[in-house]
Amino acid sequence: MDENRVQNYLNLIQQLLNCPSGEEPEILQANSDLLDLEFLQVCEAVAAQLAEAGNENEANFLRNLASQLGEFLGFTSDAGNEVENNSLNDYLTFLQLLVQTEVENFGGDSRHIYGVLQANLDKLNLNFIPVLQQTMTGFLGGIDNPEEAEGYAALIENIGIKISEFPRGRRADNLEIAIAAYEIVLSVRTVENNPEKWAQTQNNLANAYLYRIRGDRGENLESAIAFYTNALTVRTREAFPQQWATTQNNLAIAYRNRIRGDRGENLESAIAFYTNALTVYTPEAFPHR
């Protein structure tokens, strides 16, 4: 890529990250000459860097932006998930490979799973969801040992997280698959039997709905708010201060972007949640947040 053009891409990305919500279309229109496949690739690279640094909200914003722009501009080079020729056995084999890879690398980085996803882009689509749901729900339902069931639930959740963060394929489909994975986890993980992990899954579901592309945007944001609120019934400031602050920050983003309700009241709520988060995210404790 031309170095000057790459710098222009980076400047545009920074402008989009810093602009008030709702101004993105105007900025993109003013820079339409930069909207090409290389720009989407730079967005994905920057998103990966942001995620590695712990800036998941900005990373997800860029991933969603790249996905939507890619569809709008007609770039389908890595949306091989249009293929309809896969059999049920193909999807089952794909699922088995994902589970096996996660078992072998549980708690590790995403490179191994990403390799499997990259090699199976044609199966990373909405057709994979019923296979995932039926197979894993049935499997978990047949486990009598609660600890073993929780172990597999954690594995499924990790797969969902990594698919939601995967920078290739169709972002809209990846988020739908992640949502399905989290819902499977909640079929065995309850607030009674594992409150901390239950709250974690509620927060992950909220994150997915916050950035969801399919469905009604207003309803998605309401769902995100509901799941974040659920998480806060366990993630209290006293018991889990850092997780509480993270969820407070995420709730602020949801209210800042909220479509329903009074706009002024939503912004006041967002300010209150951001302020709450800053009682934990102090310059001394978290200088890079």
Side-chain angles (χ1 to χ4, degrees):
M1 295 183 190
D2 177 79
E3 289 186 11
N4 290 332
R5 191 165 181 83
V6 170
Q7 188 57 55
N8 289 335
Y9 291 148
L10 294 173
N11 292 341
L12 175 55
I13 289 171
Q14 197 61 45
Q15 190 178 357
L16 289 164
L17 289 172
N18 294 332
C19 75
S21 179
E23 292 187 5
E24 295 88 351
E26 182 179 346
I27 293 172
L28 290 170
Q29 186 174 4
N31 294 272
S32 58
D33 59 312
L34 293 174
L35 305 183
D36 54 21
L37 182 57
E38 290 184 343
F39 174 67
L40 302 185
Q41 293 170 343
V42 173
C43 282
E44 290 177 355
V46 173
Q49 293 172 1
L50 289 169
E52 187 175 348
N55 299 320
E56 284 296 335
N57 291 323
E58 293 184 347
N60 281 326
F61 168 80
L62 278 184
R63 290 177 182 133
N64 276 337
L65 177 70
S67 176
Q68 293 180 61
L69 277 177
E71 292 188 24
F72 177 76
L73 297 171
F75 296 129
T76 58
S77 57
D78 59 341
N81 27 16
E82 294 290 343
V83 176
E84 299 290 344
N85 296 326
N86 294 308
S87 67
L88 175 60
N89 282 337
D90 291 330
Y91 286 107
L92 288 171
T93 301
F94 174 44
L95 175 58
Q96 182 179 14
L97 186 55
L98 283 174
V99 171
Q100 179 183 344
T101 303
E102 185 61 25
V103 167
E104 293 173 353
N105 301 279
F106 191 77
D109 60 37
S110 302
R111 287 177 297 174
H112 302 285
I113 283 285
Y114 279 11
V116 174
L117 296 174
Q118 181 63 44
N120 292 273
L121 282 174
D122 62 318
K123 302 173 199 69
L124 197 62
N125 54 46
L126 299 182
N127 293 330
F128 177 57
I129 292 177
V131 176
L132 174 67
Q133 291 171 324
Q134 294 170 23
T135 303
M136 298 314 298
T137 300
F139 176 73
L140 289 173
I143 299 176
D144 295 326
N145 186 316
E147 291 186 4
E148 184 181 358
E150 169 56 34
Y152 278 103
L155 184 146
I156 295 167
E157 184 167 43
N158 280 359
I159 291 174
I161 292 170
K162 289 170 182 175
I163 289 176
S164 76
E165 296 174 347
F166 184 52
R168 308 290 287 178
R170 178 165 290 141
R171 177 73 172 147
D173 288 2
N174 293 352
L175 286 171
E176 295 302 307
I177 295 169
I179 288 171
Y182 302 146
E183 289 174 343
I184 293 167
V185 171
L186 290 175
S187 70
V188 297
R189 182 181 284 174
T190 68
V191 69
E192 290 80 20
N193 67 24
N194 199 334
E196 183 178 355
K197 292 295 185 180
W198 175 86
Q200 172 185 290
T201 309
Q202 293 288 327
N203 191 78
N204 286 334
L205 254 178
N207 288 340
Y209 273 98
L210 180 63
Y211 296 104
R212 192 184 186 205
I213 296 169
R214 297 184 184 275
D216 178 79
R217 178 62 174 158
E219 290 180 4
N220 290 340
L221 287 170
E222 294 304 306
S223 294
I225 289 170
F227 288 124
Y228 285 135
T229 303
N230 288 347
L232 286 174
T233 62
V234 173
R235 289 184 165 187
T236 63
R237 194 186 193 287
E238 295 72 28
F240 304 100
Q242 187 172 347
Q243 291 91 333
W244 173 84
T246 297
T247 306
Q248 292 286 326
N249 184 77
N250 291 341
L251 256 178
I253 295 171
Y255 271 96
R256 186 190 68 192
N257 295 322
R258 193 183 188 202
I259 297 170
R260 297 182 181 177
D262 180 79
R263 177 63 175 161
E265 291 179 2
N266 289 339
L267 289 175
E268 290 303 315
S269 295
I271 291 169
F273 287 123
Y274 280 133
T275 303
N276 288 347
L278 287 173
T279 63
V280 173
Y281 288 148
T282 63
E284 296 75 21
F286 297 93
H288 301 297
R289 294 293 295 190

